[in-house]
Amino acid sequence: MTPDPFLAAPLADPLAAPEPGRLRRAGAIMGAAGRSLFDLVLPPVCMACRQPVAVADALCARCWSRLTLIDKPYCARLGIPFSYDLGEGALSAEAIADPPPFDRARAAAVFDDVARDVVHGFKYRDHTEHVRLMARLMARAGQELLDDADVIVPVPLHRWRLWRRRFNQAALLGAEISRLTGVAFDPLILHRIRATQHQVGLTGSERDRNVRGAFRVTPDRRPAIADRRVLLIDDVLTSGATVKASTRALLRGGAQSVDVLVFARVVGKETGII
Ligand SMILES: [Zn+2]
């Protein structure tokens, strides 16, 4: 059987596995026809606070009002929101002082309480159904980047972490954004050549050191990015160390340019909290 690039383990028989995460994944596979029957078993809940809601894959009104979506004005390079409009193409102090290797980064939301609950449910509690709303918001926030992109590439997990988590959250997001927009998706272009320590609790420079040289373009996939404009996908952007290291690997591997699209980014005082 060809290994599924998103799932490290095959899906279990949903009827034999009464565990909520797996049941929800099974529900995702059943599609719209099976959704209403499925909802009788597991009524839809808010993706952040887990309170009952009317429709699946949604936030309740209270959580939705507390989710901080990022809209213009923002830094043309890093996508950091500005409190007032500095004009088209304005750059943040961070982008001027320390220009990143990628061209542009965009995020759908600020990584605050609601976004954190959505991401952690997705990543650590197997709520892979969150991918649908997250990808829709990312496609909206990254529309300009998607218009220019030739191929979507997810930030890869090391195979040991993929085996433990069973899926790569960035690959699920990339596949769904590809499905929504028609931009090509290739999860096998970039891989992580060494396991890295969790970035949680590390300072910015420690994060840079931790992921430096950790990524490489798979040699036989080089033609797939040669002179192509790559859109790199991840779930959260904190210090940027991971996407910078991934971008450098893609550019060394022959990509023409790299943009970055994430679901949520840390802004201002929150830097370094995950
Ligand atoms: Zn809620």
Side-chain angles (χ1 to χ4, degrees), residues 69-77 79-90 104-108 140-145:
L69 294 177
I70 297 177
D71 282 308
K72 287 180 177 175
Y74 47 60
C75 167
R77 194 81 187 266
I80 297 171
F82 290 147
S83 48
Y84 53 92
D85 196 349
L86 297 169
E88 193 66 26
R104 298 169 291 182
R106 298 289 181 266
R140 171 184 169 276
Q143 194 176 347
E144 289 173 4
L145 281 54

Side-chain angles (χ1 to χ4, degrees), residues 11 14 17-31 35 38-39 41-47 50 56-57 121 125-130 132:
L11 289 170
E19 182 252 312
R22 288 188 183 175
L23 273 177
R24 287 195 181 85
R25 277 205 298 271
I29 288 165
M30 286 160 69
R35 184 74 56 77
F38 189 72
D39 288 348
V41 184
L42 283 177
V45 294
C46 168
M47 287 167 47
R50 317 307 297 172
D57 311 327
R125 291 190 290 279
D126 276 5
H127 290 303
T128 48
E129 73 278 8
H130 289 191
R132 288 187 283 272

Side-chain angles (χ1 to χ4, degrees), residues 104-143:
R104 298 169 291 182
R106 298 289 181 266
V110 173
F111 191 69
D112 54 15
D113 291 347
V114 175
R116 183 183 300 115
D117 287 345
V118 170
V119 169
H120 285 187
F122 178 41
K123 202 160 152 176
Y124 304 123
R125 291 190 290 279
D126 276 5
H127 290 303
T128 48
E129 73 278 8
H130 289 191
V131 74
R132 288 187 283 272
L133 179 63
M134 293 169 77
R136 281 203 302 276
L137 294 176
M138 288 169 73
R140 171 184 169 276
Q143 194 176 347

Side-chain angles (χ1 to χ4, degrees), residues 6-192:
F6 318 131
L7 297 166
L11 289 170
D13 175 355
L15 298 177
E19 182 252 312
R22 288 188 183 175
L23 273 177
R24 287 195 181 85
R25 277 205 298 271
I29 288 165
M30 286 160 69
R35 184 74 56 77
S36 54
L37 173 65
F38 189 72
D39 288 348
L40 290 175
V41 184
L42 283 177
V45 294
C46 168
M47 287 167 47
C49 70
R50 317 307 297 172
Q51 294 299 306
V53 288
V55 293
D57 311 327
L59 291 166
C60 70
R62 181 168 178 275
C63 289
W64 183 252
S65 71
R66 290 167 53 230
L67 180 70
T68 313
L69 294 177
I70 297 177
D71 282 308
K72 287 180 177 175
Y74 47 60
C75 167
R77 194 81 187 266
L78 296 176
I80 297 171
F82 290 147
S83 48
Y84 53 92
D85 196 349
L86 297 169
E88 193 66 26
L91 296 177
S92 58
E94 292 93 323
I96 294 166
D98 183 18
F102 50 80
D103 287 348
R104 298 169 291 182
R106 298 289 181 266
V110 173
F111 191 69
D112 54 15
D113 291 347
V114 175
R116 183 183 300 115
D117 287 345
V118 170
V119 169
H120 285 187
F122 178 41
K123 202 160 152 176
Y124 304 123
R125 291 190 290 279
D126 276 5
H127 290 303
T128 48
E129 73 278 8
H130 289 191
V131 74
R132 288 187 283 272
L133 179 63
M134 293 169 77
R136 281 203 302 276
L137 294 176
M138 288 169 73
R140 171 184 169 276
Q143 194 176 347
E144 289 173 4
L145 281 54
L146 283 155
D147 286 346
D148 293 340
D150 295 314
V151 60
I152 292 172
V153 173
V155 169
L157 291 182
H158 189 267
R159 62 181 184 279
W160 296 344
R161 192 164 294 167
L162 179 63
W163 182 79
R164 276 204 300 276
R165 192 175 289 162
R166 298 183 294 172
F167 62 91
N168 173 2
Q169 71 280 1
L172 290 182
L173 289 167
E176 180 68 6
I177 294 168
S178 171
R179 193 186 67 78
L180 292 170
T181 61
V183 178
F185 169 66
D186 193 331
L188 302 177
I189 284 176
L190 194 62
H191 72 275
R192 209 179 272 244

